[in-house]
């Protein structure tokens, strides 16, 4: 009798153990399903967070800053505001990934991000590897120089003949420098913060940028001035416009274009003006 009771007890324990294991398996499967759903509900955007007023890094969520994934800092700027509009239109949660400029396209192609919204121009060369939305901003090239220096009063790009000039690596900014006769073209820079430091220290005489960044630089640093030209750089619209970078044949392209079409030119300028006013005092 005792042996039978022991066997029944062991059998009952085994049943409870099997039931418990079954419950754990079900919960694990449910958790994986929730994680997949979460990924589908996000719109992940890559940007440098170092190209004010298009994008920058800040310490909190002031002025609409968005938390940077895996980082204690936040991203703000014109690109972030456009990314918010697109994410809302898609019905998704915006996720910002801070990525070096040269890493943006590889990140897009390897599905680490869904889109590039980083002041990127839809050039012919880039279109060979990725697709672009319709333009969400168009600007023009300027030069950023030392205030009170010999180049502040320049009106033509040829006034920079003999000057030490640079631009950002792998951008049309750097390419147009060749239009200046006898210019001392310096090695391309990885980012705008480095160019501002080089200008401040006198390593360069100026760097090529777009008007919003030129306004940003001269507003952030009283020692800088932005030069606009009456005889400026010759550039195609694709070199001065910015658009959303997307994977080839992306399912998002049509939807993003519809969302961008709903943002008027007046609104875009208002967003840019606010970004210029809200940029950090220095980067």
């Amino acid at each position: 009798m005792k042996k039978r009771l022991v066997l029944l007890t062991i059998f009952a324990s085994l049943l409870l153990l099997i039931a418990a294991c079954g419950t754990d398996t079900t919960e694990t499967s449910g958790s994986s399903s929730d994680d997949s759903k979460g990924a589908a509900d996000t719109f992940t955007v890559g940007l440098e967070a170092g190209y004010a007023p298009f994008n920058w890094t800040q310490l909190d969520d002031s002025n609409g800053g968005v938390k940077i994934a895996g980082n204690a800092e936040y991203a703000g700027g014109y690109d972030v505001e456009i990314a918010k509009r697109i994410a809302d239109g898609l019905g998704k949660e915006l996720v910002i990934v801070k990525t070096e400029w040269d890493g943006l396209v590889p990140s897009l192609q390897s599905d680490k991000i869904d889109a590039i919204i980083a002041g990127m121009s839809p050039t012919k060369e880039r279109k060979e590897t990725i697709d672009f939305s319709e333009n969400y901003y168009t600007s023009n090239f300027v030069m950023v120089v030392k205030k009170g220096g010999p180049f502040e009063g320049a009106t033509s790009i040829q006034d920079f003949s003999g000057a030490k000039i640079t631009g950002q690596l792998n951008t049309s900014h750097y390419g147009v420098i060749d239009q200046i006769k006898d210019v001392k073209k310096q090695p391309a820079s990885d980012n705008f913060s480095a160019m501002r430091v080089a200008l401040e220290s006198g390593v360069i005489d100026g760097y090529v940028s777009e008007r919003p960044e030129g306004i940003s630089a001269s507003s952030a640093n009283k020692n800088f001035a932005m030069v606009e030209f009456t005889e400026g750089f010759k550039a195609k619209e694709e070199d001065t416009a910015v658009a959303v970078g997307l994977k080839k044949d992306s399912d998002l392209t049509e939807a993003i274009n519809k969302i961008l079409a709903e943002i008027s030119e007046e609104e875009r300028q208002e967003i840019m003006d606010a970004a210029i006013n809200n940029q950090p005092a220095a980067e």
Side-chain angles (χ1 to χ4, degrees):
M1 185 69 176
K2 289 181 179 179
K3 288 182 179 179
R4 185 178 296 176
L5 287 171
V6 170
L7 288 172
L8 286 171
T9 301
I10 293 172
F11 182 69
S13 298
L14 288 171
L15 286 176
L16 288 171
L17 181 61
I18 292 169
C21 289
T23 301
D24 288 344
T25 302
T26 302
E27 289 176 354
T28 301
S29 298
S31 176
S32 297
S33 176
D34 290 342
D35 289 343
S36 297
K37 183 179 178 183
D41 288 342
T42 59
F43 178 54
T44 305
V45 170
L47 46 76
E48 289 179 282
Y51 179 35
F54 284 97
N55 54 75
W56 63 70
T57 301
Q58 59 187 53
L59 300 178
D60 54 36
D61 62 357
S62 60
N63 299 315
V66 175
K67 188 82 160 52
I68 297 171
N71 196 309
E73 298 172 316
Y74 293 74
Y78 183 81
D79 289 329
V80 174
E81 295 303 315
I82 294 296
K84 284 184 192 177
R85 295 286 191 100
I86 293 174
D88 287 345
L90 295 173
K92 296 177 180 289
E93 178 187 354
L94 176 62
V95 175
I96 296 291
V97 177
K98 186 174 181 178
T99 307
E100 291 294 327
W101 178 259
D102 277 355
L104 288 170
V105 171
S107 292
L108 180 65
Q109 293 175 319
S110 60
D111 294 319
K112 292 180 180 177
I113 57 176
D114 298 317
I116 299 169
I117 306 182
M120 182 173 280
S121 298
T123 62
K124 182 179 178 181
E125 292 74 19
R126 292 192 182 114
K127 286 181 178 178
E128 293 176 0
T129 54
I130 63 174
D131 284 344
F132 284 93
S133 70
E134 295 297 326
N135 300 338
Y136 64 87
Y137 196 81
T138 302
S139 186
N140 57 285
F141 291 134
V142 299
M143 193 81 76
V144 179
V145 301
K146 273 283 194 72
K147 190 168 186 176
F151 299 103
E152 184 181 3
T155 57
S156 167
I157 61 172
Q158 302 309 330
D159 292 335
F160 286 87
S161 177
K164 295 177 291 184
I165 304 298
T166 191
Q168 189 178 27
L169 182 68
N170 293 329
T171 66
S172 50
H173 304 170
Y174 192 65
V176 297
I177 295 173
D178 295 329
Q179 296 178 24
I180 304 172
K181 186 178 180 181
D182 296 327
V183 69
K184 294 179 180 177
K185 190 175 184 180
Q186 302 299 295
S189 181
D190 288 334
N191 55 68
F192 280 81
S193 294
M195 287 190 287
R196 291 183 182 186
V197 170
L199 179 60
E200 182 82 63
S201 62
V203 173
I204 59 173
D205 296 313
Y207 66 84
V208 179
S209 186
E210 291 178 66
R211 191 173 187 277
E213 195 281 334
I215 295 173
S216 172
S218 55
S219 298
N221 190 324
K222 63 181 182 180
N223 295 321
F224 292 168
M226 179 184 73
V227 176
E228 295 186 87
F229 303 105
T230 54
E231 297 178 19
F233 294 104
K234 294 179 181 178
K236 299 176 182 177
E237 182 182 345
E238 67 181 26
D239 292 327
T240 55
V242 293
V244 180
L246 297 157
K247 283 192 74 172
K248 282 288 185 183
D249 304 316
S250 172
D251 294 334
L252 295 173
T253 306
E254 184 177 353
I256 288 175
N257 282 337
K258 287 181 180 179
I259 295 166
L260 292 176
E262 295 173 356
I263 308 174
S264 67
E265 287 300 322
E266 183 180 0
E267 284 182 282
R268 295 180 194 207
Q269 194 55 56
E270 288 174 355
I271 296 170
M272 179 57 79
D273 290 345
I276 291 170
N277 290 331
N278 293 333
Q279 65 175 334
E283 292 190 295

